[in-house]
């Protein structure tokens, strides 16, 4: 039997019947380097899992259709390190706009982009504005990055802002999802990784506004916080807590857009 919440497992007739009332959820991932320890699909794996879990949590209360994950994002700043497939900013905005427009033409009136990669935030917001304001579609659009659902107690447990990039937080999540994909840290990597992670990649962390410098990422080893030995138990707890928070967001979005 097809999964009643999975876009890819449903027929066009079933989707047509669901579209007027259901929320389409599109997970946004990325395929990019995650240092020397984590797989390139880290963001995609996390976004996909959180979308699947949160949809299951609300399935009895809200009509939701889970769309396939977009596995590529705006990752230009990771390209110099290798192991990265990126869409440029304009292309990514067009991709998300096309997805939203297609869903609208298929009858959907509500859409949530569930984001798992920091580089997708700005172009994702631009796509949402284009869909609603420029194109004037009869489509309510939400953009939620999963780390917005991390509570302050959890954030305080990490030395750098969660989720960071390729550090202890993401290692914990991936170790809970696919422990065999997390490589052990070489014994001699610890000090150099800590030195690299200590270099600020964006001075906007300590300054008002947003500032970018040439070769800012190249000054590090492609990470923003300290690589760490993964904790799968902590990772599973984090995934569940964030899934519950995302489910609450979906219910709020449903109530606000009916």
């Amino acid at each position: 039997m097809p999964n009643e919440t999975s876009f890819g497992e449903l027929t066009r007739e079933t989707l047509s019947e669901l579209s007027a009332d259901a929320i389409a959820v599109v997970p946004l991932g990325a395929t990019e380097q995650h240092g020397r320890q984590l797989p390139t699909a880290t963001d995609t794996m996390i976004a996909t899992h959180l979308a699947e879990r949160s949809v299951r949590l609300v399935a009895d209360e809200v009509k939701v259709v889970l769309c396939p994950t977009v596995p590529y994002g705006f990752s230009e700043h990771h390209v110099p390190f290798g192991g990265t497939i990126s869409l440029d900013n304009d292309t990514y905005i067009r991709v998300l706009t096309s997805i939203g427009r297609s869903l609208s033409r298929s009858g959907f009136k509500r859409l949530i982009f569930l984001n798992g990669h920091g580089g997708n935030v700005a172009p994702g917001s631009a796509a949402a504005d284009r869909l609603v304001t420029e194109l004037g579609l009869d489509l309510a659009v939400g953009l939620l990055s999963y780390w917005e659902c991390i509570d302050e107690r959890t954030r305080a447990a990490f030395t750098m802002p969660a989720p960071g990039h390729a550090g202890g937080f993401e290692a914990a999540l991936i170790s809970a999802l696919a422990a065999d994909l997390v490589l052990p840290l070489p014994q001699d990597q610890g000090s150099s990784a800590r030195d690299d992670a200590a270099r600020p990649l964006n001075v906007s962390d300590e300054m008002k506004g947003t500032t970018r410098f040439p070769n800012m990422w190249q000054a590090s080893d492609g990470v923003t916080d300290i690589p760490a030995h993964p904790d799968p138990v902590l990772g599973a707890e984090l995934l569940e807590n964030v899934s519950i928070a995302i489910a609450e967001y979906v219910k709020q979005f449903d109530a606000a857009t009916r």
Side-chain angles (χ1 to χ4, degrees):
M1 294 292 291
N3 183 336
E4 293 183 358
T5 63
S6 175
F7 190 104
E9 295 184 22
L10 301 176
T11 65
R12 66 185 187 188
E13 286 79 8
T14 302
L15 286 165
S16 180
E17 293 170 0
L18 288 171
S19 60
D21 298 320
I23 299 171
V25 174
V26 179
L28 305 180
T31 301
E32 62 186 29
Q33 68 84 27
H34 269 72
R36 305 172 191 274
Q37 183 184 26
L38 300 181
T40 59
T42 288
D43 295 343
T44 296
M45 293 169 62
I46 293 171
T48 300
H49 173 85
L50 292 174
E52 292 173 346
R53 177 62 179 146
S54 59
V55 165
R56 287 197 297 270
L57 288 172
V58 301
D60 292 336
E61 301 178 57
V62 182
K63 288 186 178 180
V64 180
V65 172
L66 180 60
C67 300
T69 302
V70 181
Y72 306 119
F74 177 63
S75 302
E76 293 295 302
H77 46 303
H78 293 289
V79 170
F81 297 99
T84 299
I85 301 174
S86 176
L87 301 178
D88 64 60
N89 191 65
D90 292 340
T91 299
Y92 191 61
I93 292 172
R94 291 197 299 271
V95 167
L96 298 190
T97 301
S98 295
I99 290 171
R101 185 172 54 222
S102 296
L103 289 168
S104 177
R105 293 174 68 180
S106 294
F108 287 90
K109 298 184 181 299
R110 300 183 295 171
L111 163 64
I112 294 173
F113 289 118
L114 180 59
N115 179 40
H117 168 54
N120 297 342
V121 174
S125 296
D129 286 337
R130 182 171 294 179
L131 287 164
V132 176
T133 306
E134 292 184 28
L135 298 181
L137 299 181
D138 183 16
L139 183 70
V141 181
L143 173 66
L144 178 70
S145 296
Y146 79 82
W147 52 87
E148 297 178 81
C149 296
I150 302 172
D151 61 39
E152 291 305 315
R153 180 182 64 83
T154 301
R155 292 181 187 277
F158 294 89
T159 58
M160 296 288 284
H165 182 76
F169 187 90
E170 289 187 322
L173 299 188
I174 294 299
S175 68
L177 295 175
D180 57 319
L181 298 183
V182 181
L183 299 181
L185 288 171
Q187 293 298 316
D188 61 351
Q189 185 184 334
S191 60
S192 65
R194 292 173 185 273
D195 291 342
D196 288 331
R199 301 174 186 171
L201 299 181
N202 185 347
V203 295
S204 64
D205 292 339
E206 300 179 4
M207 293 174 59
K208 294 181 179 179
T210 299
T211 306
R212 297 288 188 267
F213 290 109
N215 302 318
M216 187 168 61
W217 271 85
Q218 287 88 316
S220 77
D221 192 34
V223 302
T224 64
D225 50 340
I226 300 170
H229 297 290
D231 184 340
V233 175
L234 174 60
E237 179 183 347
L238 290 169
L239 289 168
E240 184 63 14
N241 290 344
V242 173
S243 295
I244 292 170
I246 293 171
E248 288 301 313
Y249 170 84
V250 173
K251 289 189 282 188
Q252 294 170 1
F253 184 87
D254 175 58
T257 57
R258 284 178 184 167

